[in-house]
Structure formats: structure tokens, C-alpha cells
Amino acid sequence: CGQALNNALGVYARLGMPGACCSADGVHVAWNKCRSTQRHLFTGKEGFPTVAWNVSVLHSREIVHIARWMGGSQNDKTMAQHDVFFARLRSGTFHPEKTYALYNRDGTRSVHRGLYAIVDNGYHHWMCLMPPFKGVCPDDETSMWSKRLESVRKDVECTFGTVTHRFRILRIPSDQATPEGIDNTFRACCVLHNILLRHDGLNTLGNSARHWHPQDGEVVRRRRLLDAVRVHRDRTTVRAHGGVPPTREPGFGARREALIAHYNVARLKGEVGWVK
């Protein structure tokens, strides 16, 4: 970690998400040779047998952690409970010395401790995981923050798209005889992806001022985003969580409110940007 973690924290802070250390999501690879006696363990929402992993990436698209493989019938909540990296984030043992400052609504700053990962609404509401709001947001500030977090979280989806386009073996159903063989192939592809990323010099994306859009362009984007958020709120209805309801930890709501307050103050101060 070391300097690489500091760089990642700096990029996410510039994006308006101080304390975020990565984005995470589940990824599936189809398994063509799954035995009929095991299909119920590996068949989930995709409708066919898959092997799945919980993967964490940086905003530069560098893959930093791959959890142990699980059958595709397991959802993101279950995979999160078996992810050792999430366990370290949740227990506070992953770099507990790291702190970050958040703006309060009155413009003052307060120091916070406890890093977190940006995720989607398929995960539990743990303090170490930060998803966007689902359904109608109570106000424009919350909607702006939620939309911003959804946009920032696209880095993990772009990473999956890049890896699968680079390695055709991940786009077709695997003929490996065992899930362990698929796991080895997937991890090898991720290692090669990181090597290529560093070879192209893209692993340092966001570490230099020239990587960021000018502030004038960001002002225009904020206005367009606010207009889009208002339209979205008018058209969206509240939807209940499907499947198993998320587990909400004490303090999750307070942390999310603190992040919302910080983002909107930092946005008005012109301290939030986009990587080119």
C-alpha cells in the first residue's frame, strides 16, 4: 500500500469522496462444464452456471483485491460477508492510522477515521461500504451526492469491461473442469491487466493536475447534473429492496450524511473535479 494508497485516497478526495479507498462489485464468469448435481450452487440471476468474485479496484482501473471464488448463486451481500478485505475495512484494521477531513454544513472541518469502499445497492449498509440512495432522494443535495457516487463507481464497471475485452477467454463460457481452474485463469487475466495498465502509464491517473478537467468545465457539469437530478426525482418512485434487505450498521446513516454535507460544501467551493 503506502504511497499507492495515499495516491488513491487523494484521487477519491478530489472526486468529492474523502475516505474512499476503492470501488467494489461482483463479477461472474460463465462455467460450461458445471455438473448437473452442482448447477443449483452455481446458477443465479444470470440463469446459467457461473463462478463469481468480489473485486475491488482503484479509480485508475487498477485491480487491488480479488476475494475467494464463490458459486454464482451467491449474491453480493453473501460475497461481502466472505471478503477478507471487507472484513479488515469493517473491523478498522486496514490502515487505522488514516484520517480524512470532511466539511460540515457550516463550512468548518471535522476529522474522521475509517476508510470505506464505494459499492452499489446490492450490498449491506455497513460503515465500510457506501452505496448511493435507492429511489427518491429527500432533497437536491442528497440527489447530487448520490448521482456523483454512482458516476464515480463506474470505475469498477469500466474495469470489468476492459478486462473482458482484453481477454476473450473471460467472455465465453469456460470449459475448465473445476472452479479452481476458472479462478486461476481469472486471476491471471487480472494480473496481466494490471501489468498492461502500468506499462501504458495509466495506473497513475489522477495523480497529476494535468489529469483533471479545468474548473470552468466542472461548473457547467454541475449545472447539467443538477438539472438531470431534478428530472430524475420527478420521474422516480420509491422502490423496496429486492431479496434480502440490507443490514444497516449503527453509524452508517451518520457517516453518509457527513459525506453528503461535505460533497455539497466542497462542490460550492470549487474543490470537486473530474478526471479527464
Side-chain angles (χ1 to χ4, degrees):
C1 295
Q3 188 58 42
L5 176 60
N6 291 334
N7 291 339
L9 293 174
V11 170
Y12 280 110
R14 184 73 175 88
L15 290 167
M17 305 291 164
C21 62
C22 64
S23 299
D25 201 359
V27 59
H28 294 249
V29 171
W31 186 19
N32 203 31
K33 295 292 185 178
C34 181
R35 297 179 180 179
S36 58
T37 56
Q38 295 180 310
R39 291 185 68 89
H40 67 287
L41 299 175
F42 290 86
T43 304
K45 61 182 181 180
E46 286 75 17
F48 49 84
T50 63
V51 178
W53 301 263
N54 199 58
V55 181
S56 302
V57 309
L58 302 181
H59 197 65
S60 62
R61 280 53 165 179
E62 184 173 5
I63 298 171
V64 292
H65 177 73
I66 304 172
R68 68 175 297 274
W69 68 267
M70 300 191 73
S73 63
Q74 306 299 325
N75 58 25
D76 290 342
K77 296 182 180 71
T78 302
M79 289 196 291
Q81 291 174 333
H82 293 85
D83 191 325
V84 294
F85 175 56
F86 281 6
R88 291 188 63 192
L89 282 176
R90 195 178 185 191
S91 63
T93 58
F94 181 75
H95 289 274
E97 78 283 358
K98 296 296 183 183
T99 60
Y100 50 96
L102 298 179
Y103 283 117
N104 301 314
R105 294 193 181 277
D106 59 2
T108 60
R109 286 177 176 264
S110 56
V111 177
H112 295 253
R113 191 184 301 272
L115 304 180
Y116 61 90
I118 298 175
V119 296
D120 61 21
N121 278 291
Y123 288 84
H124 293 292
H125 288 177
W126 294 342
M127 288 185 65
C128 67
L129 305 178
M130 197 53 56
F133 273 78
K134 187 174 183 178
V136 175
C137 295
D139 51 59
D140 284 341
E141 287 190 352
T142 302
S143 295
M144 291 281 287
W145 174 85
S146 184
K147 281 292 182 183
R148 178 71 172 195
L149 187 140
E150 289 178 353
S151 297
V152 171
R153 201 193 66 80
K154 297 300 181 183
D155 50 16
V156 66
E157 297 180 0
C158 291
T159 301
F160 295 160
T162 301
V163 173
T164 54
H165 277 79
R166 273 178 166 164
F167 305 103
R168 183 176 180 271
I169 195 171
L170 299 180
R171 300 203 305 270
I172 60 177
S174 176
D175 285 331
Q176 294 276 358
T178 63
E180 289 78 10
I182 302 175
D183 181 56
N184 291 335
T185 301
F186 179 74
R187 291 177 185 273
C189 291
C190 291
V191 170
L192 291 173
H193 163 78
N194 282 352
I195 292 174
L196 292 171
L197 203 71
R198 295 182 180 185
H199 178 268
D200 295 336
L202 297 177
N203 62 305
T204 60
L205 190 67
N207 296 341
S208 172
R210 62 186 175 84
H211 296 161
W212 297 87
H213 282 286
Q215 188 61 42
D216 291 344
E218 180 61 22
V219 171
V220 174
R221 286 182 180 83
R222 289 203 304 268
R223 291 170 181 168
R224 292 175 179 173
L225 180 58
L226 182 57
D227 292 339
V229 163
R230 287 170 176 163
V231 172
H232 176 75
R233 289 185 60 200
D234 292 340
R235 295 179 178 176
T236 306
T237 57
V238 176
R239 296 182 296 273
H241 288 281
V244 181
T247 301
R248 176 172 291 226
E249 282 184 341
F252 169 82
R255 169 169 287 186
R256 185 156 67 174
E257 288 301 319
L259 292 172
I260 293 171
H262 167 86
Y263 170 70
N264 283 281
V265 173
R267 176 176 57 82
L268 293 175
K269 287 178 174 287
E271 298 178 3
V272 177
W274 280 114
V275 177
K276 291 182 181 178

Coordinates of all heavy atoms in Angstrom, one line a residue, residues 218-271:
E218 N -16.1 22.0 -14.9 CA -16.8 21.4 -13.9 C -18.0 22.2 -13.4 O -19.0 21.6 -13.1 CB -15.8 21.2 -12.7 CG -16.4 20.5 -11.5 CD -16.9 19.1 -11.8 OE1 -16.4 18.5 -12.7 OE2 -17.7 18.6 -11.0
V219 N -18.0 23.5 -13.5 CA -19.1 24.3 -13.2 C -20.3 24.0 -14.1 O -21.4 23.8 -13.7 CB -18.8 25.8 -13.2 CG1 -20.0 26.6 -13.1 CG2 -17.8 26.1 -12.1
V220 N -20.0 23.9 -15.4 CA -21.0 23.5 -16.4 C -21.6 22.2 -16.1 O -22.8 22.0 -16.2 CB -20.4 23.6 -17.8 CG1 -21.4 23.1 -18.8 CG2 -20.0 25.0 -18.1
R221 N -20.7 21.2 -15.8 CA -21.2 19.9 -15.5 C -22.1 19.9 -14.2 O -23.1 19.1 -14.2 CB -20.0 18.9 -15.2 CG -19.3 18.6 -16.5 CD -18.1 17.6 -16.2 NE -17.4 17.3 -17.4 CZ -16.5 18.0 -18.0 NH1 -16.1 19.2 -17.4 NH2 -15.9 17.7 -19.1
R222 N -21.8 20.7 -13.2 CA -22.6 20.7 -12.0 C -24.0 21.2 -12.4 O -25.0 20.7 -11.9 CB -22.0 21.6 -11.0 CG -20.7 21.0 -10.4 CD -20.4 21.6 -9.0 NE -20.3 23.1 -9.1 CZ -19.2 23.7 -9.2 NH1 -18.1 23.1 -9.4 NH2 -19.2 25.1 -9.2
R223 N -24.1 22.2 -13.2 CA -25.4 22.7 -13.6 C -26.2 21.7 -14.3 O -27.4 21.5 -14.1 CB -25.2 24.0 -14.4 CG -24.7 25.2 -13.7 CD -24.3 26.3 -14.6 NE -23.7 27.4 -13.9 CZ -23.1 28.5 -14.5 NH1 -23.0 28.5 -15.8 NH2 -22.6 29.4 -13.7
R224 N -25.6 21.0 -15.3 CA -26.3 20.0 -16.1 C -26.7 18.8 -15.1 O -27.8 18.3 -15.3 CB -25.4 19.5 -17.2 CG -25.1 20.5 -18.3 CD -24.1 19.9 -19.3 NE -23.8 20.9 -20.4 CZ -22.9 20.7 -21.3 NH1 -22.2 19.6 -21.3 NH2 -22.8 21.7 -22.2
L225 N -25.8 18.5 -14.2 CA -26.1 17.4 -13.3 C -27.3 17.7 -12.4 O -28.2 16.9 -12.2 CB -24.9 17.0 -12.4 CG -25.1 15.9 -11.4 CD1 -25.5 14.6 -12.1 CD2 -23.8 15.7 -10.6
L226 N -27.4 19.0 -11.9 CA -28.5 19.4 -11.1 C -29.8 19.3 -11.8 O -30.8 18.9 -11.3 CB -28.2 20.8 -10.5 CG -29.3 21.4 -9.6 CD1 -29.5 20.5 -8.4 CD2 -29.0 22.8 -9.2
D227 N -29.8 19.8 -13.1 CA -31.0 19.7 -13.9 C -31.4 18.2 -14.1 O -32.6 17.9 -14.0 CB -30.7 20.4 -15.3 CG -30.6 21.9 -15.2 OD1 -31.0 22.4 -14.1 OD2 -30.0 22.5 -16.1
A228 N -30.4 17.4 -14.4 CA -30.7 15.9 -14.6 C -31.3 15.3 -13.3 O -32.2 14.5 -13.4 CB -29.5 15.2 -15.1
V229 N -30.7 15.7 -12.2 CA -31.2 15.2 -10.9 C -32.6 15.5 -10.6 O -33.5 14.7 -10.2 CB -30.3 15.7 -9.7 CG1 -31.0 15.5 -8.4 CG2 -29.0 14.9 -9.8
R230 N -33.0 16.8 -10.9 CA -34.4 17.2 -10.7 C -35.4 16.5 -11.6 O -36.4 16.1 -11.1 CB -34.5 18.7 -10.9 CG -33.8 19.6 -9.8 CD -33.7 21.0 -10.2 NE -33.2 21.8 -9.1 CZ -32.7 23.0 -9.2 NH1 -32.6 23.6 -10.4 NH2 -32.2 23.6 -8.1
V231 N -35.0 16.3 -12.8 CA -35.8 15.5 -13.7 C -35.9 14.0 -13.2 O -37.0 13.4 -13.2 CB -35.3 15.5 -15.2 CG1 -36.0 14.5 -16.0 CG2 -35.3 16.9 -15.7
H232 N -34.8 13.5 -12.7 CA -34.8 12.1 -12.2 C -35.7 12.0 -11.0 O -36.5 11.0 -10.9 CB -33.4 11.7 -11.9 CG -33.3 10.4 -11.2 ND1 -33.4 9.2 -11.9 CD2 -33.1 10.0 -9.9 CE1 -33.2 8.2 -11.1 NE2 -33.1 8.6 -9.9
R233 N -35.7 13.0 -10.1 CA -36.5 12.9 -8.9 C -38.0 13.0 -9.3 O -38.9 12.4 -8.7 CB -36.2 14.0 -8.0 CG -34.8 13.9 -7.3 CD -34.6 15.0 -6.3 NE -35.7 15.0 -5.3 CZ -36.0 16.0 -4.5 NH1 -35.4 17.2 -4.7 NH2 -36.9 15.9 -3.6
D234 N -38.3 13.7 -10.3 CA -39.7 13.8 -10.7 C -40.3 12.5 -11.3 O -41.4 12.2 -11.2 CB -39.9 15.0 -11.8 CG -39.6 16.3 -11.2 OD1 -39.7 16.4 -9.9 OD2 -39.3 17.3 -11.9
R235 N -39.4 11.8 -12.0 CA -39.8 10.6 -12.7 C -39.7 9.3 -11.8 O -40.2 8.3 -12.2 CB -39.0 10.4 -14.0 CG -39.2 11.5 -15.0 CD -38.4 11.3 -16.2 NE -38.6 12.4 -17.2 CZ -38.0 12.4 -18.3 NH1 -37.0 11.6 -18.6 NH2 -38.2 13.4 -19.2
T236 N -39.0 9.4 -10.7 CA -38.6 8.1 -10.0 C -39.6 8.0 -8.8 O -40.0 8.9 -8.2 CB -37.2 8.2 -9.4 OG1 -36.3 8.5 -10.5 CG2 -36.8 6.9 -8.8
T237 N -40.0 6.7 -8.6 CA -40.8 6.4 -7.5 C -40.0 5.5 -6.5 O -39.0 4.9 -6.9 CB -42.1 5.6 -7.9 OG1 -41.6 4.4 -8.6 CG2 -42.9 6.4 -8.8
V238 N -40.4 5.5 -5.2 CA -39.7 4.7 -4.2 C -39.9 3.2 -4.5 O -41.0 2.8 -4.7 CB -40.2 5.1 -2.8 CG1 -39.5 4.2 -1.8 CG2 -40.0 6.5 -2.5
R239 N -38.8 2.5 -4.5 CA -38.8 1.0 -4.7 C -38.3 0.3 -3.5 O -37.2 0.7 -3.0 CB -38.0 0.7 -6.0 CG -38.6 1.2 -7.3 CD -37.8 0.8 -8.4 NE -36.4 1.3 -8.4 CZ -36.1 2.5 -8.9 NH1 -36.9 3.3 -9.4 NH2 -34.8 2.9 -8.8
A240 N -38.9 -0.7 -3.1 CA -38.4 -1.5 -2.0 C -37.2 -2.3 -2.4 O -37.1 -2.7 -3.6 CB -39.5 -2.4 -1.4
H241 N -36.3 -2.7 -1.5 CA -35.2 -3.5 -1.8 C -35.6 -4.9 -2.1 O -36.5 -5.5 -1.4 CB -34.2 -3.6 -0.5 CG -33.5 -2.3 -0.3 ND1 -32.4 -2.0 -1.0 CD2 -33.7 -1.3 0.6 CE1 -31.9 -0.8 -0.6 NE2 -32.7 -0.4 0.3
G242 N -35.1 -5.5 -3.2 CA -35.5 -6.8 -3.6 C -34.6 -7.8 -2.8 O -33.5 -7.5 -2.4
G243 N -35.1 -9.0 -2.6 CA -34.4 -10.1 -2.0 C -34.2 -9.8 -0.5 O -35.0 -9.3 0.2
V244 N -33.0 -10.1 0.0 CA -32.7 -10.0 1.4 C -32.4 -8.5 1.7 O -31.6 -7.9 1.0 CB -31.4 -10.8 1.8 CG1 -31.1 -10.6 3.2 CG2 -31.6 -12.3 1.4
P245 N -33.1 -7.9 2.7 CA -32.9 -6.5 3.0 C -31.5 -6.3 3.5 O -30.9 -7.1 4.2 CB -34.0 -6.2 4.0 CG -34.3 -7.5 4.6 CD -34.1 -8.5 3.5
P246 N -30.9 -5.1 3.2 CA -29.5 -4.9 3.6 C -29.4 -4.7 5.1 O -30.3 -4.2 5.8 CB -29.1 -3.6 2.9 CG -30.4 -2.9 2.7 CD -31.4 -4.0 2.4
T247 N -28.3 -5.2 5.7 CA -28.0 -5.0 7.1 C -27.5 -3.6 7.3 O -26.5 -3.2 6.7 CB -27.0 -6.0 7.6 OG1 -27.6 -7.3 7.4 CG2 -26.8 -5.9 9.1
R248 N -28.1 -2.8 8.2 CA -27.6 -1.4 8.4 C -26.9 -1.4 9.8 O -27.5 -1.7 10.8 CB -28.8 -0.5 8.4 CG -28.4 1.0 8.7 CD -29.5 2.0 8.5 NE -29.8 2.1 7.1 CZ -30.0 3.3 6.4 NH1 -29.9 4.4 7.1 NH2 -30.3 3.3 5.2
E249 N -25.7 -1.0 9.8 CA -24.9 -0.9 11.0 C -25.2 0.5 11.7 O -25.5 1.5 11.0 CB -23.4 -0.9 10.7 CG -22.9 -2.3 10.4 CD -21.4 -2.3 10.2 OE1 -20.8 -1.3 9.9 OE2 -20.8 -3.4 10.3
P250 N -25.1 0.5 13.0 CA -25.2 1.8 13.7 C -24.1 2.7 13.2 O -22.9 2.3 13.1 CB -25.0 1.4 15.2 CG -25.4 -0.1 15.2 CD -25.0 -0.6 13.9
G251 N -24.4 3.9 12.9 CA -23.4 4.9 12.5 C -23.4 5.0 11.0 O -22.8 6.0 10.4
F252 N -24.0 4.1 10.2 CA -24.0 4.2 8.8 C -24.7 5.4 8.3 O -24.1 6.2 7.4 CB -24.6 2.9 8.1 CG -24.9 3.0 6.7 CD1 -23.9 2.8 5.8 CD2 -26.1 3.5 6.2 CE1 -24.1 2.9 4.4 CE2 -26.3 3.6 4.8 CZ -25.3 3.3 3.9
G253 N -25.8 5.7 8.8 CA -26.6 6.9 8.4 C -25.8 8.2 8.7 O -25.8 9.1 7.8
A254 N -25.2 8.3 9.8 CA -24.5 9.5 10.2 C -23.3 9.7 9.3 O -23.0 10.8 8.9 CB -24.0 9.4 11.7
R255 N -22.6 8.6 8.9 CA -21.4 8.7 8.0 C -21.9 9.2 6.6 O -21.3 10.1 6.0 CB -20.7 7.4 7.9 CG -19.7 7.4 6.8 CD -18.7 6.2 6.8 NE -17.8 6.3 7.9 CZ -16.8 5.5 8.1 NH1 -16.6 4.4 7.3 NH2 -15.9 5.7 9.1
R256 N -23.0 8.6 6.2 CA -23.5 9.0 4.8 C -23.9 10.5 4.8 O -23.6 11.2 3.9 CB -24.6 8.1 4.4 CG -25.1 8.4 2.9 CD -25.7 7.2 2.3 NE -27.0 6.9 2.9 CZ -27.8 5.9 2.4 NH1 -27.5 5.3 1.3 NH2 -28.9 5.6 3.0
E257 N -24.6 10.9 5.9 CA -25.0 12.3 6.0 C -23.8 13.3 6.0 O -23.8 14.4 5.4 CB -25.8 12.6 7.2 CG -27.2 12.0 7.1 CD -28.0 12.5 5.9 OE1 -27.9 13.8 5.7 OE2 -28.7 11.8 5.3
A258 N -22.7 12.8 6.7 CA -21.5 13.6 6.8 C -20.8 13.7 5.4 O -20.3 14.8 5.0 CB -20.5 13.0 7.8
L259 N -20.9 12.6 4.6 CA -20.3 12.7 3.3 C -21.1 13.5 2.3 O -20.6 14.2 1.5 CB -20.2 11.2 2.7 CG -19.2 10.3 3.4 CD1 -19.3 8.9 2.9 CD2 -17.8 10.8 3.1
I260 N -22.5 13.5 2.5 CA -23.3 14.4 1.7 C -23.1 15.8 2.0 O -22.9 16.7 1.0 CB -24.8 14.0 2.0 CG1 -25.1 12.6 1.4 CG2 -25.7 15.0 1.3 CD1 -26.5 12.1 1.9
A261 N -22.9 16.2 3.3 CA -22.7 17.6 3.6 C -21.3 18.0 3.1 O -21.2 19.1 2.5 CB -22.7 17.7 5.1
H262 N -20.3 17.2 3.2 CA -19.0 17.5 2.7 C -19.0 17.8 1.2 O -18.5 18.8 0.7 CB -18.0 16.4 3.0 CG -16.7 16.6 2.2 ND1 -15.7 17.4 2.7 CD2 -16.3 16.1 1.0 CE1 -14.7 17.4 1.8 NE2 -15.0 16.6 0.7
Y263 N -19.7 16.8 0.4 CA -19.6 17.0 -1.0 C -20.3 18.3 -1.5 O -19.7 18.9 -2.4 CB -20.4 15.8 -1.7 CG -20.6 16.0 -3.1 CD1 -19.5 15.9 -4.0 CD2 -21.8 16.2 -3.7 CE1 -19.7 16.1 -5.4 CE2 -22.0 16.4 -5.0 CZ -20.9 16.4 -5.9 OH -21.1 16.6 -7.2
N264 N -21.4 18.6 -0.9 CA -22.1 19.8 -1.4 C -21.3 21.1 -1.0 O -21.3 22.1 -1.7 CB -23.5 19.9 -0.8 CG -24.4 18.9 -1.5 OD1 -24.9 19.2 -2.6 ND2 -24.6 17.7 -1.0
V265 N -20.6 21.1 0.2 CA -19.8 22.3 0.5 C -18.6 22.4 -0.4 O -18.3 23.4 -0.9 CB -19.4 22.2 2.0 CG1 -18.4 23.4 2.3 CG2 -20.6 22.3 2.9
A266 N -17.9 21.2 -0.6 CA -16.7 21.2 -1.4 C -17.1 21.5 -2.9 O -16.3 22.2 -3.6 CB -16.1 19.8 -1.4
R267 N -18.3 21.1 -3.3 CA -18.7 21.5 -4.7 C -18.9 23.0 -4.9 O -18.5 23.5 -5.9 CB -20.0 20.7 -5.0 CG -20.7 21.0 -6.3 CD -21.9 20.2 -6.5 NE -22.9 20.4 -5.4 CZ -23.7 21.4 -5.4 NH1 -23.7 22.3 -6.4 NH2 -24.6 21.5 -4.4
L268 N -19.5 23.6 -3.9 CA -19.7 25.0 -4.0 C -18.4 25.8 -3.9 O -18.3 26.9 -4.4 CB -20.7 25.5 -2.8 CG -22.1 25.0 -3.0 CD1 -23.0 25.4 -1.8 CD2 -22.8 25.5 -4.2
K269 N -17.4 25.2 -3.2 CA -16.1 25.9 -3.1 C -15.3 25.6 -4.3 O -14.2 26.2 -4.4 CB -15.4 25.3 -1.8 CG -16.0 25.9 -0.5 CD -15.2 25.2 0.7 CE -15.6 25.9 2.0 NZ -15.1 27.2 2.2
G270 N -15.8 24.8 -5.2 CA -15.0 24.5 -6.4 C -13.9 23.5 -6.2 O -12.9 23.6 -7.0
E271 N -14.0 22.7 -5.2 CA -12.9 21.7 -4.9 C -13.1 20.3 -5.4 O -12.4 19.4 -5.2 CB -12.7 21.7 -3.4 CG -12.3 23.0 -2.7 CD -12.1 22.9 -1.2 OE1 -12.3 21.8 -0.7 OE2 -11.9 24.0 -0.6

